[in-house]
Amino acid sequence: MRKYYKMIWLSNCLFACLPTLVFFMSNEKADPPFSNNSTRNDSSGGTNFFQNQITERYVRVNPQSYLQHEGEGSSHFWLRRLGQIKSVELLLGESENSGMRRALNSYQLIFLGIGAIIGTGIFVLSGTAAAKNSGPAVTISFIIAAIAATFAAFSYSEMASMIPVSGSAYTYTYATMGEFTAWIIGWDLILEYMVGAATVGVGWSGYFVKFFAVATNVEFSPSWTEPPIKWVSTPSLAISVEQGRYFNVPGFTIIMIVTIVLCTGIRQSAWVNTGIVIIKLFVVLLFIFALCGFVEPSNYDPYIPPNTTGNWHSFGVPGVFAAATTVFFSYIGFDAVTTAALEAKNPKRDLPIGIFGSLIISTVLYIAACTVMTGAENYTELGVSTPVTVAIDAVQRRTGKRFLWLNIIVTIGAICGLTSVLLISLLAQSRVFYSMAKDGLLPSCFSRVHPRFQTPYIATLLVGTISAILAAVLPIDLLGEMTSVGTLLAFFFVHTGVIVMRLIRPDVERRFRIPGGKWLSLIVPIFGMIISILLIAVADVTTIWRLFVWMGIGWIIYFSYSIRNSALKRDPIGCFKRAHALLPETVRFDKDGIQIDQFEHNTESNRANTSGHV
């Protein structure tokens, strides 16, 4: 069965890149702007032709090329439309009219990243991955995931400093590989952030119940605090409904509260997040230093438990990599930083700082906390939604010391930590919705900005409500696996985008550049692509199939709605004209001194005469 989904995965990647290939193969016939250019028929042949295609596609983008040319067949134009890009200058111009408030500095962006990263990884998924996949070697799994995240962080930082626009991987893909591939990534990000928020909601509910049990001895019924659906993927796929469980009320409620906070404004949301992150960091450090002296060495033996079940995901070296796929969910926060580009004061400088600062701090805390947790309690007992408190209880039983105070504080910290993760996940999701709606790929209502709060409130309310419903009915292991695979797919295309932009737009200003020079630095995105594919390959088969089903739904929506309503299809010349009017003086000219306003945009005859270039 595994060989079939690998074949399908490869075919999906090839199909996503097909529009770009079609452009280069067909553009000579379809697009006449170079017809009077002497280099077009240069005797050097294919090399100059290919260079001209790159120049025409990425550097001197002609608004007329987005229109159907005289004599061009509908099917040819339809295929060409799939690969049409949004140039860097067009994206920068549109960002100047976002309507959102620029209020975030570099420190707030670091806290934004930490708020999204530290939470589910330590307080929820670390125990699940240790109990089901890797044992005490979950620390190695976090290191593997951190390496993959570091490669991605380099690529995200370079793209963010070059294209500081809301939308993250979706926007970067639109600028490099075309509209259809961008839609695939945007649809994938919807899965990543929406399901990710639901995952955190389920974990938040577990710690909410635990807090009242520890602090007040009040036990809440699982009928209203746990999701009713149970998912079992091994040894055979099974979906069942737990008797006596109806609705996860705490998970649903907290997501809706956070959604309302996000609607009130980015500055208020940043203040709330900064306060929560300070509490969370204090609690994580308190847990590490309070229990590090009570670690039981025997709990580390064996460090990598042998595989005795026949399921290669369960323990052994393959299990360590399978756990890395699961805990990779813990690192999705740093890419959420890039979705706030339109609300950063100096995005080209501050976004890379926010990405690397949050990733480094979070990785160190992850490794330290997991080492202490698996040393305090045997890994077989950590497969619950509150593994940190289980570790504290184990130390209490073994030593006779009272750690009730620590249990209460850690539970409060977990609740705060998971709340900040919820806030950033929903923030990122709504900004992706906003970007896709601005491009016409989703209904325009999702791009509306509240006149007072200056936030995309309709998009925020929609994604918050859907995430809340998912948290109310679905289990945490199902949600976490789906999110990790979606994240890895987005990382793969961001790495690809860095390589594309290095080759075809070396002229664009980069405040951050991957170290290593012009060519050696490309090793980073290449290795990042390989690691992303490997981690996807070791994911559970059913997780891959769920991703394919989600992508299939996305394709139906794109070909039935998005391709017909894309802004670049409805009014490409108007898009360029409006963007040019908003461009800062520093980006109005390209290196050849060619401007967007060299076109007579409102002249009907330009539909047939496309001799100019931008």
Side-chain angles (χ1 to χ4, degrees):
M1 184 177 182
R2 178 169 292 274
K3 66 179 182 180
Y4 294 116
Y5 87 71
K6 287 181 179 178
M7 292 172 61
I8 296 174
W9 162 254
L10 180 60
S11 65
N12 272 272
C13 290
L14 292 175
F15 191 84
C17 298
L18 178 63
T20 301
L21 298 176
V22 169
F23 178 92
F24 287 119
M25 294 172 63
S26 64
N27 200 51
E28 181 177 19
K29 174 183 177 182
D31 202 358
F34 274 116
S35 57
N36 294 323
N37 192 328
S38 60
T39 61
R40 182 77 169 189
N41 298 314
D42 190 277
S43 59
S44 58
T47 301
N48 282 331
F49 169 72
F50 187 70
Q51 290 174 346
N52 288 336
Q53 300 305 305
I54 289 177
T55 302
E56 181 177 345
R57 176 168 169 77
Y58 292 100
V59 183
R60 306 169 102 183
V61 180
N62 179 1
Q64 306 295 335
S65 67
Y66 292 85
L67 302 173
Q68 186 171 2
H69 303 297
E70 185 177 354
E72 182 180 13
S74 298
S75 59
H76 187 280
F77 174 64
W78 185 82
L79 282 173
R80 189 163 59 84
R81 273 273 300 109
L82 299 180
Q84 289 176 338
I85 68 161
K86 293 188 72 173
S87 67
V88 174
E89 287 76 16
L90 179 56
L91 288 167
L92 292 174
E94 290 180 344
S95 69
E96 296 300 316
N97 192 34
S98 67
M100 292 195 281
R101 177 180 298 162
R102 293 193 179 274
L104 303 178
N105 56 36
S106 58
Y107 296 105
Q108 288 173 314
L109 289 171
I110 291 175
F111 275 86
L112 205 70
I114 295 175
I117 297 173
I118 296 181
T120 313
I122 289 179
F123 298 118
V124 181
L125 291 181
S126 55
T128 302
K132 294 184 177 181
N133 303 111
S134 61
V138 68
T139 52
I140 300 178
S141 300
F142 270 103
I143 293 173
I144 294 171
I147 292 172
T150 301
F151 281 113
F154 275 111
S155 293
Y156 266 94
S157 295
E158 179 162 327
M159 293 297 286
S161 69
M162 181 170 47
I163 311 175
V165 180
S166 180
S168 189
Y170 159 76
T171 301
Y172 307 151
T173 306
Y174 211 155
T176 55
M177 283 168 275
E179 183 177 283
F180 178 64
T181 310
W183 166 264
I184 291 176
I185 295 303
W187 189 246
D188 172 69
L189 290 175
I190 291 173
L191 173 73
E192 173 187 334
Y193 291 125
M194 186 165 59
V195 178
T199 305
V200 179
V202 177
W204 191 95
S205 177
Y207 277 98
F208 177 81
V209 172
K210 183 69 176 180
F211 170 76
F212 280 93
V214 171
T216 65
N217 290 323
V218 174
E219 297 284 347
F220 289 105
S221 169
S223 299
W224 303 105
T225 57
E226 295 184 16
I229 296 177
K230 183 178 181 180
W231 174 276
V232 178
S233 58
T234 56
S236 61
L237 179 63
I239 301 175
S240 61
V241 177
E242 294 280 350
Q243 294 295 323
R245 296 183 182 180
Y246 307 107
F247 199 79
N248 188 343
V249 175
F252 178 88
T253 303
I254 186 59
I255 292 178
M256 293 308 301
I257 292 174
V258 170
T259 299
I260 294 172
V261 171
L262 283 171
C263 288
T264 61
I266 186 64
R267 181 175 296 171
Q268 291 78 4
S269 301
W271 290 342
V272 171
N273 178 71
T274 300
I276 291 175
V277 168
I278 291 173
I279 296 173
K280 177 166 57 176
L281 292 176
F282 169 76
V283 169
V284 172
L285 291 172
L286 181 64
F287 168 77
I288 293 171
F289 287 107
L291 293 191
C292 64
F294 299 96
V295 168
E296 180 62 46
S298 61
N299 287 331
Y300 294 128
D301 187 22
Y303 192 67
I304 303 179
N307 186 327
T308 59
T309 64
N311 178 8
W312 70 281
H313 288 89
S314 300
F315 309 113
V317 174
V320 174
F321 282 90
T325 302
T326 299
V327 301
F328 195 80
F329 169 83
S330 311
Y331 288 100
I332 69 172
F334 75 83
D335 70 313
V337 172
T338 63
T339 65
L342 291 181
E343 290 141 303
K345 292 180 179 178
N346 189 352
K348 287 192 174 185
R349 184 199 68 186
D350 294 343
L351 287 178
I353 295 174
I355 291 171
F356 277 104
S358 59
L359 183 61
I360 292 171
I361 294 171
S362 301
T363 300
V364 172
L365 293 178
Y366 272 147
I367 295 172
C370 287
T371 301
V372 171
M373 184 175 65
T374 54
E377 174 62 297
N378 189 277
Y379 69 90
T380 58
E381 304 298 324
L382 297 175
V384 296
S385 61
T386 58
V388 175
T389 58
V390 169
I392 296 173
D393 291 340
V395 172
Q396 286 189 123
R397 292 193 305 270
R398 190 170 63 248
T399 64
K401 296 181 179 293
R402 286 185 58 82
F403 280 103
L404 178 63
W405 61 273
L406 181 60
N407 236 334
I408 294 174
I409 293 176
V410 167
T411 304
I412 294 174
I415 291 173
C416 291
L418 295 175
T419 302
S420 69
V421 176
L422 271 176
L423 190 146
I424 306 307
S425 296
L426 293 174
L427 169 74
Q429 169 65 295
S430 62
R431 271 50 179 181
V432 172
F433 253 69
Y434 168 85
S435 296
M436 297 177 73
K438 286 281 286 186
D439 294 331
L441 304 184
L442 290 175
S444 59
C445 62
F446 297 127
S447 65
R448 293 178 187 170
V449 176
H450 196 280
R452 177 184 174 188
F453 300 127
Q454 296 180 304
T455 57
Y457 65 105
I458 295 179
T460 304
L461 288 172
L462 176 69
V463 300
T465 302
I466 295 176
S467 296
I469 294 173
L470 292 176
V473 298
L474 294 180
I476 193 167
D477 52 352
L478 169 63
L479 294 168
E481 290 174 357
M482 291 175 65
T483 307
S484 293
V485 172
T487 304
L488 289 165
L489 179 62
F491 285 4
F492 174 85
F493 279 100
V494 172
H495 289 307
T496 306
V498 169
I499 297 173
V500 171
M501 293 300 286
R502 281 290 189 92
L503 295 175
I504 50 83
R505 290 304 305 269
D507 59 303
V508 177
E509 179 190 9
R510 293 164 170 83
R511 292 291 294 272
F512 175 88
R513 185 183 291 267
I514 299 174
K518 182 177 180 180
W519 301 113
L520 188 61
S521 61
L522 294 181
I523 294 175
V524 172
I526 290 173
F527 270 97
M529 293 167 65
I530 295 172
I531 292 174
S532 297
I533 293 175
L534 289 176
L535 289 178
I536 290 174
V538 300
D540 189 75
V541 176
T542 57
T543 303
I544 301 295
W545 282 113
R546 289 194 294 271
L547 178 64
F548 289 153
V549 170
W550 177 255
M551 287 300 170
I553 296 172
W555 285 18
I556 293 172
I557 295 175
Y558 178 79
F559 289 113
S560 62
Y561 175 86
S562 303
I563 194 172
R564 292 178 171 83
N565 292 276
S566 169
L568 287 181
K569 177 182 182 296
R570 294 197 312 266
D571 185 21
I573 296 177
C575 288
F576 276 83
K577 185 177 181 180
R578 289 189 294 271
H580 170 66
L582 297 166
L583 280 174
E585 292 293 335
T586 54
V587 294
R588 283 189 175 177
F589 298 87
D590 69 11
K591 64 178 181 179
D592 297 320
I594 300 171
Q595 293 179 273
I596 294 176
D597 63 357
Q598 284 179 299
F599 289 93
E600 296 292 336
H601 296 289
N602 58 354
T603 303
E604 185 67 20
S605 61
N606 278 328
R607 292 180 178 272
N609 179 20
T610 56
S611 59
H613 295 87
V614 177

